[in-house]
């Protein structure tokens, strides 16, 4: 296969503009580098794994069922992919590495700019090397910031601070933003 393959993964709930930037980075990497039209593999975290990995256990109840998250992701991918030549697929992630460690034909891993994401990416590449695969290129998607200048995150959305586009929702958030400036 000549298609360049970019992989990314996450829980993607609620889907927000930061996720869309991550998806665009994946499609750009797959579509515009190398031969072929490109292919994007989006790993979607299973409900069990998502529940295990939440830093705040109360948020696990807010994730929603896998099928509903998959449907929302599929809808977003349908819109985002229209601007690119690359095809895509959604793969269920049931372990710490997902398809990025088992797909020998993968070329690039798309990650968020957080340090934790980069540490996981390097751990994943170590695992690929242990399996006899070449390491993946690591591409970092930019943060998308909300109106208050802080990054958009699912946690902030679930906490009612901002909406999916980074617009401030609560008076408390606005007051904090004003104090920070």
């Amino acid at each position: 296969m000549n298609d360049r393959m970019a992989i990314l993964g996450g829980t993607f709930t609620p889907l927000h503009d930061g996720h869309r930037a991550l998806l665009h980075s994946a499609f750009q990497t797959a579509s515009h580098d190398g031969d072929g039209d490109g292919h994007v593999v989006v790993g979607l975290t299973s409900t069990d794994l998502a529940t295990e990995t939440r830093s705040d256990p109360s948020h696990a109840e807010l994730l929603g069922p896998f099928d509903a998250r998959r449907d929302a992701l599929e809808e977003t991918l349908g819109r985002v992919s229209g601007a690119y030549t690359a095809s895509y697929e959604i793969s269920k992630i049931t372990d710490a590495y997902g398809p990025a460690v088992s797909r020998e034909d993968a070329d690039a891993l798309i990650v968020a700019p957080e340090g934790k994401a980069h540490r996981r990416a390097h751990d994943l590449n170590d695992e690929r090397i242990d399996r006899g695969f070449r390491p993946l290129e690591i591409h970092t998607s930019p943060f998308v910031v909300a109106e208050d200048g802080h990054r958009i995150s699912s946690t902030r959305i679930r906490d009612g601070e901002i909406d999916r586009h980074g617009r401030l929702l609560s008076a408390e958030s606005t007051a904090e933003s004003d104090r920070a400036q």
Side-chain angles (χ1 to χ4, degrees):
M1 176 156 119
N2 288 335
D3 282 348
R4 183 163 166 77
M5 184 186 300
I7 294 183
L8 68 155
T11 307
F12 296 102
T13 185
L15 271 160
H16 55 69
D17 287 353
H19 290 130
R20 285 181 209 35
L22 198 64
L23 294 169
H24 278 287
S25 292
F27 278 98
Q28 289 167 357
T29 299
S31 298
H32 300 298
D33 295 335
D35 296 332
D37 290 335
H39 188 67
V40 173
V41 177
V42 182
L44 181 60
T45 309
S46 70
T47 301
D48 289 343
L49 183 61
T51 301
E52 290 171 24
T53 58
R54 292 301 91 182
S55 58
D56 183 344
S58 68
H59 285 172
E61 299 167 10
L62 304 174
L63 297 176
F66 179 83
D67 289 341
R69 291 185 290 116
R70 180 181 169 73
D71 291 348
L73 180 59
E74 180 73 44
E75 183 180 325
T76 297
L77 282 165
R79 286 192 307 270
V80 170
S81 68
Y84 304 97
T85 59
S87 58
Y88 68 87
E89 67 183 272
I90 298 173
S91 176
K92 188 176 196 175
I93 299 176
T94 58
D95 61 37
Y97 297 120
V101 79
S102 60
R103 297 286 301 254
E104 186 175 6
D105 54 345
D107 298 295
L109 180 67
I110 313 303
V111 298
E114 296 107 349
K116 184 169 90 172
H118 279 267
R119 284 189 297 280
R120 281 194 313 246
H122 288 287
D123 290 346
L124 184 146
N125 269 338
D126 289 343
E127 181 65 25
R128 283 182 62 87
I129 291 167
D130 288 348
R131 292 181 183 207
F133 300 158
R134 66 181 170 16
L136 299 175
E137 301 165 12
I138 299 172
H139 294 250
T140 305
S141 179
F143 274 131
V144 177
V145 296
E147 287 178 334
D148 61 2
H150 299 283
R151 73 181 181 92
I152 295 175
S153 73
S154 296
T155 300
R156 292 187 70 200
I157 294 166
R158 282 190 289 268
D159 288 346
E161 294 176 38
I162 58 173
D163 69 10
R164 295 168 193 244
H165 304 290
R167 293 181 291 249
L168 295 173
L169 296 178
S170 70
E172 181 179 299
S173 297
T174 305
E176 287 177 18
S177 176
D178 290 344
R179 285 193 299 271
Q181 293 180 10

